[in-house]
Amino acid sequence: TIRNQIVESRIKADKEKIVYLQSYADPLHWLEENVSEPTVILSDDEFSAYIPIRTKHYVLFSPSGVLQMVSDHELETRYLISRFLGGGPSLEDINNDLKFYGGAGKALLGSKMQEHFALMYDRYQNEIKPNIKSYLSDFKVGYAVVSISDSTGRQQMEKLGAEEVYKDASFIIYIL
């Protein structure tokens, strides 16, 4: 039946996801064992969710951090910096990702939302991107975890002159 096909495909997808998540174990273990002092880690949103769970370390940005007690400006800054690994956010990304950094207060902007998105985009392009090393330093980012399959993230680390300190079949860890 169609219902059984749907259930079977969902189970298969869940199994594939579980197997994929196992690839996080070794780099998380390396961070925990080899970085003695708690530090800030830059990574993609999915991997970042596991860093504070499996290690003593912190993340620069996590979509679940929208409810944390930091100012809107700091949360937006952390969001914009975190998108550096992907080559920077597009205006569309900023619009689509509002739920990750916006909180409830952004709804009050109403018709001015598009203007706010444009200002964020301009801020990334003109302020953050040219000064990314300074921003990463200001937020005390010590390491970055990048998927082997993320060629843009690897290129961004090369541009920074970051050094590889760990590599396996799935991830590279860089010291900044």
Side-chain angles (χ1 to χ4, degrees):
T1 68
I2 291 179
R3 182 175 186 271
N4 287 345
Q5 290 174 341
I6 292 170
V7 169
E8 286 175 16
S9 71
R10 177 67 185 171
I11 290 170
K12 181 180 178 193
D14 288 346
K15 284 181 182 178
E16 289 171 2
K17 179 74 170 181
I18 289 167
V19 169
Y20 174 73
L21 290 175
Q22 294 304 307
S23 68
Y24 290 14
D26 289 340
L28 288 167
H29 179 76
W30 187 92
L31 286 167
E32 182 64 15
E33 294 299 315
N34 293 281
V35 182
S36 59
E37 293 296 318
T39 192
V40 179
I41 311 293
L42 173 64
S43 190
D44 66 29
D45 291 342
E46 188 171 330
F47 193 93
S48 289
Y50 293 89
I51 292 170
I53 295 169
R54 298 292 312 236
T55 75
K56 61 184 157 284
H57 305 298
Y58 306 97
V59 294
L60 173 68
F61 177 81
S62 175
S64 62
V66 73
L67 301 176
Q68 303 305 316
M69 299 256 217
V70 296
S71 70
D72 285 352
H73 182 75
E74 180 177 337
L75 195 55
E76 288 176 2
T77 301
R78 287 173 174 270
Y79 163 78
L80 291 170
I81 296 167
S82 75
R83 293 330 191 228
F84 168 74
L85 284 177
S90 67
L91 192 54
E92 184 179 356
D93 293 334
I94 292 169
N95 186 354
N96 292 339
D97 291 347
L98 175 65
K99 63 189 168 286
F100 296 151
Y101 66 82
K106 293 291 185 237
L108 301 176
L109 289 172
S111 63
K112 296 198 181 265
M113 283 303 294
Q114 294 306 316
E115 181 181 330
H116 184 73
F117 295 151
L119 289 171
M120 285 180 64
Y121 178 78
D122 289 344
R123 184 167 168 240
Y124 179 81
Q125 293 298 324
N126 301 317
E127 183 183 326
I128 293 174
K129 183 178 176 181
N131 301 297
I132 192 67
K133 282 186 178 183
S134 176
Y135 275 92
L136 291 168
S137 177
D138 289 349
F139 282 96
K140 312 235 182 302
V141 177
Y143 292 83
V145 180
V146 178
S147 171
I148 290 285
S149 64
D150 181 2
S151 61
T152 303
R154 292 191 331 266
Q155 289 171 357
Q156 296 293 69
M157 290 294 101
E158 288 173 19
K159 287 179 189 176
L160 282 180
E163 178 187 345
E164 283 185 23
V165 292
Y166 170 89
K167 185 175 184 179
D168 67 16
S170 301
F171 293 96
I172 303 171
I173 299 177
Y174 298 88
I175 189 167
L176 304 182

